[in-house]
Amino acid sequence: PQAPSTRNDIRDCSVDPPYLPPTATDTTARLAALRGTMRTHGAHAYIVPSTDAHMSEYISERDARLGWLTGFTGSAGTAVVTQDKAALWTDSRYWTQAERELDCNWELQRTTSIESIGMWILKAVPARGNVSLDPFLFSIDTWNSYSRALHGSGRTLIPLETNLVDQAWGHQRPLPSSSEIYSLPAEFTGSSWQEKVVGIRQRMEQHVRRPTAVLLSGLEETAWLFNLRGDDIPYNPVFYSYTLLTNTTISLFLEGSRLSAAARESLRSGCPGPLCVELQEYGQVSAHLRHYTQGNVTVWLGTEYTTYGLYGIIPQEKLLEENYSPVMMAKAVKNAHEQEMLRAAHVRDAVAVIQYLLWLEKTVPQGQVDEFLGAQHIDTLRCAQEHSRGPSFQSISASG
């Protein structure tokens, strides 16, 4: 048969042996490793999402568990694996891509509804079976949806603190970033982290429920609050962290050895006292929260960025839940200086775009430019601008 054009070169699992395009990944060994860990933990089905522990829009390679397990590199999807079946759910943007990347171990389900995933699990997992997942990778809403989908079915939803994909991935899993976490210079922020902390504590005092603490899980929340930046996730100047801010203390959970000397000095400048930042290891957040919530406390959190894993630690009567934390709400309102900086950044960016359009006018008629080269060139022009830290997403370049 004639080779199909590469764009439509998709798998064909109906022939023997199955036809796989060169873009597909052989996942047989990966699935065998995962199924081994599932047997060890008594899991009849295991759910793998495309998210990280902070509900980030973009994820790092280290968190690309769905991509590693399935070979599918789209930004949104869910996989479920049993001892003899494996399926991937994704939306219509990615159906062709999935057919090019999945091997024939995988069924492609052309929907993303949790009801559909639940129905599939009910067929694939016998009654009294255990359905497991990592509670630190699911939002509170998503966890509740799975819980409803399986309710009364005789299957049990079991949170496993050990991530089974990570176990199967083993030493091949990319290491966490070790690059520096640095302070944003004062000229860019318009207010010091101390002023921001005081402002959030005022919001706590003014709230009718009088929360004693705010828990921050969104990576940009902690970065904004402390005027810190990193590069743990492509296109996003953030770093892996959590914050527990109480009326009198500040606990920042991160890989402390990565802080620049200036950043550490700034965070420790108020010690001892209510503006002293206690640095804790990133992995200690659960234990710390469990200990804190034994007291007479109320923890305020935003449900959009908090995982079920952390949420489940806090007793229900000690919770103050809103869609967004007070830090997310404060961050959304830009002060006059930040507005000025936003406009200045757009002017610098406009210069790069104008340079690019001029370059296109000269070079396109010569027939030497394709879409990919164009994207590379505009990235180069933008990076040449002062204060550039790279693009905020991969340049989308198309013509015709």
Side-chain angles (χ1 to χ4, degrees), residues 7 38 92 153 159-160 201 208 248 289 293 348 368 377 390:
R7 187 173 294 249
M38 285 167 60
S92 57
S153 70
L160 280 182
R201 282 178 171 156
V208 61
T248 55
L289 190 59
T293 51
R348 291 195 301 274
Q368 298 297 308
H377 190 66

Side-chain angles (χ1 to χ4, degrees), residues 117-337:
I117 301 175
M119 299 289 285
W120 188 92
I121 289 172
L122 293 183
K123 282 200 194 100
V125 175
R128 290 196 291 287
N130 292 333
V131 180
S132 295
L133 42 70
D134 178 347
F136 289 91
L137 295 180
F138 289 83
S139 70
I140 299 158
D141 280 352
T142 308
W143 171 278
N144 288 335
S145 300
Y146 279 111
S147 192
R148 278 194 299 276
L150 298 178
H151 182 74
S153 70
R155 283 81 170 170
T156 315
L157 196 58
I158 296 188
L160 280 182
E161 305 243 337
T162 309
N163 187 290
L164 302 189
V165 175
D166 293 352
Q167 282 204 331
W169 203 345
H171 63 270
Q172 290 177 317
R173 186 179 175 213
L175 294 168
S177 173
S178 56
S179 61
E180 189 173 72
I181 298 168
Y182 58 95
S183 282
L184 203 58
E187 71 218 62
F188 294 107
T189 62
S191 48
S192 68
W193 69 260
Q194 290 93 338
E195 288 167 330
K196 292 177 178 179
V197 165
V198 168
I200 300 302
R201 282 178 171 156
Q202 281 171 348
R203 290 180 182 230
M204 289 160 65
E205 275 171 37
Q206 288 158 5
H207 198 288
V208 61
R209 292 263 325 263
R210 285 296 175 93
T212 60
V214 173
L215 175 66
L216 305 178
S217 292
L219 298 183
E220 59 220 56
E221 300 183 284
T222 289
W224 177 85
L225 183 61
F226 296 110
N227 294 331
L228 295 174
R229 298 290 185 269
D231 67 353
D232 292 14
I233 293 181
Y235 309 111
N236 290 267
V238 295
F239 50 92
Y240 287 106
S241 54
Y242 294 97
T243 300
L244 187 69
L245 171 64
T246 78
N247 338 45
T248 55
T249 66
I250 311 167
S251 299
L252 171 56
F253 301 85
L254 47 56
E255 186 58 60
S257 61
R258 294 175 51 201
L259 281 168
S260 72
R264 179 179 290 270
E265 200 175 311
S266 164
L267 295 171
R268 303 291 294 161
S269 59
C271 301
L275 289 173
C276 166
V277 179
E278 298 287 349
L279 300 172
Q280 316 253 6
E281 278 306 306
Y282 174 76
Q284 290 300 305
V285 65
S286 297
H288 187 93
L289 190 59
R290 197 170 272 117
H291 180 75
Y292 177 76
T293 51
Q294 286 170 1
N296 181 22
V297 297
T298 302
V299 178
W300 191 0
L301 55 79
T303 53
E304 288 290 318
Y305 288 87
T306 309
T307 61
Y308 184 80
L310 277 186
Y311 172 84
I313 290 172
I314 307 165
Q316 210 60 40
E317 70 279 4
K318 297 178 181 182
L319 260 174
L320 168 54
E321 296 172 56
E322 288 176 7
N323 284 348
Y324 297 101
S325 78
V327 168
M328 225 24 139
M329 301 305 276
K331 174 175 139 354
V333 181
K334 303 302 179 190
N335 62 40
H337 185 69

Side-chain angles (χ1 to χ4, degrees), residues 62-101:
R62 182 176 167 77
D63 280 322
R65 297 174 179 89
L66 185 76
W68 175 80
L69 181 66
T70 65
F72 169 70
T73 59
S75 67
T78 302
V80 182
V81 176
T82 66
Q83 282 303 331
D84 59 351
K85 287 192 177 70
L88 171 77
W89 285 257
T90 191
D91 66 76
S92 57
R93 292 174 298 170
Y94 292 121
W95 291 344
T96 304
Q97 182 177 334
E99 295 285 13
R100 285 167 53 72
E101 294 182 328

